[in-house]
Amino acid sequence: MNYWKAVFAIAKKDVISELRNREIISSVLLFAVLTLIIFHFAFTADQKTILSLAPGMLWVAFAFSGVLSINRAFISEKEDNCMEGLLASPVSRDAIFLGKAIGSIVFMLIIEIVVFPVFTLLYNVSVINPIVILVTLLATIGFVSIGILFSALAVNTRAREMVLPILFLPTVVPLIIAAVSATSVILDGGKFSDITQYMLIIVAFDIIFVTVPFILFRYIVEE
Amino acid sequence: MSYAIECKDLTKRFGDFKALKNVNLSVDKNRILAILGHNGAGKSTLIRVLSTIMHPTEGKVFIDGKELKEDDTLLRSKIGLLSHNSYLYSNLSAKENLKFYSSLYNLKDPDKRIDEILKKVNLYDRRNDRVGTYSRGMTQRLSLARALLHQPSILLLDEPETGLDRDSMELLWEIVRTDDTERTVIFTSHNFQSTVKICDEFIIMKKGSVVHRQDNNGITESDLEKIYSEVNEGKK
């Protein structure tokens, strides 16, 4: 009981704290939308080509704005020197990991909620589809979970803004490829049964990307 | 009867450097122990090891007779820590910060306790203001409220007077002494005046070792200064 109370308290604190810092949320959202606008002007292609490029463009926007938001997960603890306060409290390290991950997933979902309609408006491709949303949600869980581990690792390095994407993006490539492929099939008129193999890959990576940080997190945040 | 805190052959290494060298220390329950020593003597490292933020390289720590393990959440709930850092989130209000920590410490009826402790540190009127707008003294008082929130039986204070004016210092010690809970207090300090007033006993650390231990017994500030100088010059 106390475990989950602590997990949700950490997640809630992170979300409130980040939303109050309007500079962060607005710059991350602006970055995601700008990425889509740049692609819009870069690719002056017909609708069929746009449809084939759409999932990739969508995930480029998610991935790069996601890196920015995941980077924040521990910077706020570092700026306020609060990490030791968390470590000294009677909360297990994996509860801290889960709280941080849930907080960042919520933050990333906010980005996705904004990006989806903007994308639909710019490219005239409706990505607001229950299966696309499910694919995005599942991929976000794995993406953020492993990102939190790398964020905790990178936060104490001098060039943390550089270190995180260098370590993190190559690791999540298989997950992004599976999400892009699944989204592509659905936007092309496919059904859920057509993306089963991609969904299995996403779920498998979710399990790995949640379990591994859950176990390793304590070794990274302690001395 | 078990000690509130007991260290056995405690050693902490950072690479080749030994910050703590075979520290053996036992503190009875409900005592106030002051840790004195020059900068780099190992005072803060000792506090950090006792608070479980750091793990000892060698040796053992016992809290209420139970050995402190790496992920012992139950023993950690008995400890309150006031460090150089406030551990407070500048974007959150005083009340939100304490509410957050009350969830981590699983407090029953947190709102009542939060109001009570905020009144005690004279911050009740500013409870909804963001901590980022607080002065150093107010932040330190709120940090003390955070450390005392869960009514710990052991309170660790690492140079709690840093940056405080005289009034704030007096208020800080008054709160520590008059809080209802019976507790053992261990604090580090460079201030001999408050040390002789507050502590029941004191130790002096030098180069990672405890080199002197003495009961207070009404010692004066000048006596303490003399002892401190002699110990550090190696005469005692």
Side-chain angles (χ1 to χ4, degrees):
Chain A
M1 180 63 190
N2 183 37
Y3 184 91
W4 289 105
K5 193 175 167 185
V7 167
F8 288 113
I10 293 167
K12 187 181 164 191
K13 181 268 297 170
D14 276 3
V15 172
I16 292 174
S17 194
E18 287 304 315
L19 290 180
R20 278 202 188 146
N21 194 347
R22 290 199 188 98
E23 286 167 32
I24 304 299
I25 182 86
S26 53
S27 22
V28 171
L29 283 173
L30 192 66
F31 180 83
V33 172
L34 272 177
T35 309
L36 295 180
I37 291 172
I38 290 166
F39 278 137
H40 180 69
F41 288 108
F43 302 121
T44 46
D46 57 71
Q47 195 60 21
K48 198 182 168 196
T49 315
I50 289 289
L51 200 65
S52 65
L53 293 173
M57 291 191 282
L58 194 65
W59 269 95
V60 166
F62 287 159
F64 288 115
S65 51
V67 169
L68 288 181
S69 66
I70 288 166
N71 213 4
R72 291 291 309 166
F74 289 94
I75 289 178
S76 58
E77 301 294 343
K78 195 168 176 70
E79 280 171 354
D80 287 324
N81 292 310
C82 287
M83 197 60 207
E84 288 183 354
L86 281 181
L87 295 177
S89 67
V91 176
S92 65
R93 280 45 176 149
D94 41 69
I96 298 174
F97 160 72
L98 285 178
K100 288 276 166 199
I102 291 170
S104 291
I105 286 170
V106 171
F107 202 72
M108 187 121 177
L109 289 178
I110 294 170
I111 297 168
E112 288 165 354
I113 286 167
V114 173
V115 164
F116 269 133
V118 172
F119 187 90
T120 305
L121 278 173
L122 279 174
Y123 296 99
N124 199 23
V125 175
S126 178
V127 283
I128 306 169
N129 169 310
I131 303 174
V132 173
I133 291 170
L134 179 69
V135 168
T136 308
L137 183 67
L138 286 175
T140 300
I141 292 170
F143 181 88
V144 170
S145 299
I146 195 72
I148 290 295
L149 185 74
F150 286 118
S151 176
L153 200 67
V155 75
N156 290 319
T157 61
R158 280 184 195 171
R160 55 180 170 252
E161 283 84 3
M162 299 280 283
V163 172
L164 179 65
I166 288 168
L167 292 173
F168 168 55
L169 289 175
T171 315
V172 286
V173 162
L175 183 70
I176 293 177
I177 290 173
V180 168
S181 305
T183 310
S184 186
V185 171
I186 297 301
L187 293 184
D188 215 21
K191 294 175 192 158
F192 187 80
S193 55
D194 300 327
I195 59 162
T196 317
Q197 79 268 31
Y198 298 124
M199 292 303 275
L200 286 174
I201 293 172
I202 293 170
V203 171
F205 271 103
D206 275 358
I207 293 168
I208 296 166
F209 284 174
V210 172
T211 311
V212 172
F214 187 85
I215 296 164
L216 294 182
F217 188 72
R218 60 176 303 133
Y219 301 105
I220 288 172
V221 291
E222 289 181 352
E223 299 168 64
Chain B
M1 195 187 78
S2 59
Y3 295 110
I5 285 186
E6 191 178 11
C7 306
K8 285 185 179 170
D9 297 322
L10 196 65
T11 297
K12 179 68 192 173
R13 264 196 221 101
F14 297 104
D16 292 334
F17 176 70
K18 272 188 177 180
L20 295 176
K21 295 175 193 165
N22 293 88
V23 172
N24 286 292
L25 179 70
S26 50
V27 187
D28 284 327
K29 286 176 181 167
N30 306 327
R31 297 275 284 177
I32 300 181
L33 174 82
I35 306 175
L36 306 173
H38 288 331
N39 291 332
K43 307 183 296 295
S44 293
T45 305
L46 181 57
I47 291 284
R48 288 159 73 83
V49 170
L50 296 179
S51 68
T52 76
I53 289 173
M54 272 182 185
H55 302 307
T57 314
E58 289 161 32
K60 289 175 179 176
V61 177
F62 297 87
I63 305 282
D64 284 341
K66 288 180 189 146
E67 190 184 341
L68 199 58
K69 302 280 184 190
E70 283 188 10
D71 205 5
D72 201 329
T73 52
L74 183 70
L75 286 185
R76 254 190 254 137
S77 67
K78 293 183 175 183
I79 301 169
L81 171 67
L82 177 66
S83 165
H84 294 286
N85 300 317
S86 68
Y87 304 147
L88 298 167
Y89 296 91
S90 54
N91 266 345
L92 303 183
S93 69
K95 194 161 184 175
E96 286 169 334
N97 266 290
L98 296 185
K99 188 106 182 171
F100 169 63
Y101 278 103
S102 70
S103 299
L104 300 189
Y105 284 88
N106 197 25
L107 294 196
K108 308 272 182 286
D109 201 1
D111 290 327
K112 190 181 162 199
R113 175 65 184 156
I114 289 167
D115 286 350
E116 182 185 288
I117 197 83
L118 280 172
K119 281 175 189 163
K120 203 166 263 184
V121 296
N122 290 345
L123 287 172
Y124 186 74
D125 294 338
R126 297 278 312 262
R127 67 191 179 282
N128 294 318
D129 293 349
R130 286 193 198 181
V131 170
T133 65
Y134 281 17
S135 68
R136 165 76 188 148
M138 289 164 75
T139 307
Q140 189 73 339
R141 265 149 50 202
L142 184 60
S143 187
L144 180 65
R146 178 197 51 73
L148 292 171
L149 182 68
H150 56 292
Q151 294 168 303
S153 58
I154 293 164
L155 183 63
L156 305 171
L157 310 169
D158 192 7
E159 293 181 28
E161 297 167 328
T162 308
L164 296 183
D165 58 28
R166 184 175 288 198
D167 289 346
S168 298
M169 259 191 252
E170 279 176 11
L171 179 68
L172 181 136
W173 290 120
E174 192 188 317
I175 294 162
V176 171
R177 279 180 302 192
T178 58
D179 193 57
D180 303 334
T181 317
E182 285 194 341
R183 68 170 53 97
T184 309
V185 180
I186 299 179
F187 70 96
T188 67
S189 183
H190 291 288
N191 184 338
F192 295 146
Q193 194 183 14
S194 55
T195 297
V196 294
K197 262 198 236 171
I198 306 294
C199 75
D200 297 318
E201 55 186 322
F202 65 90
I203 61 170
I204 299 174
M205 291 187 74
K206 191 178 169 185
K207 293 179 182 172
S209 301
V210 176
V211 289
H212 185 82
R213 181 171 187 161
Q214 188 174 327
D215 277 339
N216 186 327
N217 291 335
I219 192 170
T220 62
E221 190 185 339
S222 57
D223 287 342
L224 179 58
E225 265 178 53
K226 197 177 160 197
I227 293 166
Y228 185 81
S229 302
E230 284 175 359
V231 166
N232 278 299
E233 285 162 16
K235 291 178 189 167
K236 198 157 183 167

